Amino acid sequence: MNDEKSNFDDGAELSLLVRRARRRTILRNISISFAITLFILTGGWFLNLQLQYRSSDNALRDIEKLKAISGPNEYVLGSQFDYGFLHGTLDYRTYKLVEGVPVIWGEETYEFSSWGSFSRPPGDYSDLQLPDPVMKEKGFKYERPFNRYNGEREMMFYLPLVKYENYLNELPKLNEMDEQKLVELGISLDTNYTVK
């Protein structure tokens, strides 16, 4: 009977040891999984942030180059970035100097991705567009855009490679204007030209 009691104690002890070992293994696996998950999430967050910084810098540089061509006398008032996961937004504010006086010109929103692309969201263009009698008379099928912040007319550009039904030429109006008036003039060229 002593042998049976000894075997029973050994079996209970073995069962206790197995349960303890199983518990330690589960706790060890949980802590290793938690540490690896934390490492991957931290690394992913850092990688996403680096991609966002690079993309936002590239988008801002490209927008400033575009504004230098399409927005003469337009200066950056400020920009603000909002970063998300693999994409972000850039709010861009500008002003113009008219006789040394700053005039708020606009605010635009651009969306950019971590992969280097950026664009304006749909519907973020001038929502202030009115029919122009001269444009209607000449057969234009669109309205003249106005700046939504100050009511000034926006310049319109024609791309050389696109065939338009009509071209609006307002150069003759310069001769009719008062010489004391300040005019911002945009010229669309009839072909591609090099910098030279």
Side-chain angles (χ1 to χ4, degrees), residues 45-114:
W45 175 79
F46 183 73
L47 179 64
N48 177 54
L49 203 54
Q50 292 304 310
L51 288 171
Q52 291 295 304
Y53 287 157
R54 187 197 67 193
S55 295
S56 63
D57 286 345
N58 290 342
L60 186 60
R61 183 197 65 225
D62 291 347
I63 292 166
E64 286 176 347
K65 286 180 180 179
L66 178 66
K67 288 292 177 190
I69 296 169
S70 65
N73 189 30
E74 198 169 344
Y75 303 97
V76 178
L77 181 63
S79 58
Q80 181 177 346
F81 296 98
D82 183 23
Y83 300 106
F85 181 66
L86 299 179
H87 73 283
T89 58
L90 161 65
D91 292 322
Y92 190 83
R93 291 171 294 286
T94 59
Y95 69 96
K96 288 190 176 195
L97 287 176
V98 179
E99 288 189 325
V101 177
V103 175
I104 299 298
W105 195 253
E107 182 174 323
E108 297 172 353
T109 299
Y110 292 90
E111 295 174 343
F112 59 90
S113 73
S114 294

